[in-house]
Amino acid sequence: MTVSRLRPRLPSPLEAVVDERFERHGVRLLLKRDDLIHPDLPGNKWRKLALNLEAAAGRPVLTFGGAYSNHLRATAAAGRLLGFATTGVVRGDELAERPLNPSLARCAADGMRLVFVARSTYRAKDDPAVLAELLRDAPPGTYVVPEGGSNALAVRGCLELGRELAEAPVDVAAVACGTGGTLAGLAAGLGTEQRALGVPVLRGGFLGAAVEELQEAALGGRRGAWSLDERFHFGGYARTDPALDAFARDFEARHGLVVERLYVAKMLYGLLALAEEGAFPSGTRLAAVITGSGDGSNVRALTGEGDRRGE
């Protein structure tokens, strides 16, 4: 099986935008439109899944995510488009008794078998005994992709994102982070004079170690200049608030871009706050990686899972 027959749009476009809020601080904003790579597997989901799906070679795939996981949706869509079976292990067994939200309903419509597990089980999903139990009811030969798709293959897939930006007029490349695989690859692929900035969308302070572990597994050690700013998670994964939503609506009106709320909005909000703080020297060319499409199906405010881990 080859995922190239899905005809991804690569390299993704790099678009300069005029935004006086950044320009008054001497920052030129560019948007790396990874959301345009593929309508069903946009952004970093394509980059992280492509090599994993090649490795699966048409076998059934089992993976993990929360109730609003973009990763689960992308995996389910890939299964529908390429003709392999998918299983999604969903955090929270209480969700089994509730109507499916739009994200999980899309997964089910694409043929994904949803398995709801207790949060304690989900936290232990990397334990061999727990994983073996989860695989017991899965189709024979099932290939396992980790939460968020982040593993060594995903990092290598995201290297191409950094390489696409390495020759571009970019000083800093910023990306929203859930499990760290995109940042790990992006940073490694950038040029020596460029740096990567990760904006975690979860609270917990665990992501720096996760990125280092992913780079070690994929590339043999830490690569590239990268850092994290962990102030812009808005309470945790899948949480937003009215201020973030107002910012996203304003950005949409200014630039004609529908802003995905759970990742992209938090990153853009954080970048503007950093520009206002003077974190970027005057003349900085700042590329914001638009990792997902803002179709509105995974937007919610104030309440939600807010767990330590996410997609």
Side-chain angles (χ1 to χ4, degrees), residues 60-310:
V61 169
L62 178 145
T63 192
F64 305 85
Y68 288 81
S69 171
N70 293 324
H71 168 67
L72 287 183
R73 290 174 62 196
T75 304
R80 170 176 56 83
L81 292 167
L82 294 172
F84 61 87
T86 58
T87 298
V89 178
V90 184
R91 178 179 55 241
D93 55 352
E94 74 280 3
L95 299 174
E97 305 303 320
R98 302 176 186 172
L100 296 179
N101 66 38
S103 290
L104 293 179
R106 181 69 261 168
C107 292
D110 281 341
M112 176 173 275
R113 181 175 70 96
L114 298 174
V115 179
F116 299 92
V117 299
R119 293 167 187 269
S120 58
T121 301
Y122 192 91
R123 287 192 293 271
K125 62 187 176 298
D126 294 328
D127 183 284
V130 173
L131 182 57
E133 183 64 23
L134 293 172
L135 286 169
R136 188 171 57 110
D137 295 326
T142 291
Y143 179 88
V144 177
V145 176
E147 179 183 42
S150 287
N151 57 10
L153 289 174
V155 173
R156 294 179 192 133
C158 290
L159 270 171
E160 292 304 314
L161 170 60
R163 289 169 178 160
E164 289 174 22
L165 290 169
E167 303 301 324
V170 169
D171 301 301
V172 179
V175 66
C177 302
T179 49
T182 305
L183 177 63
L186 167 64
L190 289 174
T192 56
E193 301 300 316
Q194 298 170 311
R195 67 181 178 93
L197 171 63
V199 179
V201 302
L202 300 93
R203 64 179 186 266
F206 61 89
L207 200 60
V211 174
E212 290 198 359
E213 290 172 5
L214 285 163
Q215 288 194 328
E216 175 70 32
L219 307 166
R222 182 166 178 141
R223 295 287 187 274
W226 58 269
S227 61
L228 297 167
D229 194 311
E230 307 206 25
R231 295 177 291 160
F232 305 107
H233 53 69
F234 285 82
Y237 181 68
R239 296 192 180 217
T240 67
D241 71 12
L244 180 66
D245 195 49
F247 168 83
R249 290 197 305 270
D250 179 66
F251 197 94
E252 290 171 340
R254 289 171 183 264
H255 302 300
L257 170 73
V258 180
V259 177
E260 188 273 333
R261 298 303 200 260
L262 305 188
Y263 288 85
V264 176
K266 294 180 180 183
M267 175 206 43
L268 292 171
Y269 185 102
L271 294 181
L272 180 57
L274 287 165
E276 292 173 341
E277 293 170 4
F280 305 115
S282 182
T284 295
R285 298 163 298 183
L286 173 63
V289 181
I290 308 302
T291 50
S293 58
D295 63 4
S297 65
N298 57 0
V299 177
R300 59 179 177 164
L302 296 179
T303 60
E305 295 171 2
D307 289 341
R308 177 176 176 271
R309 301 301 296 263

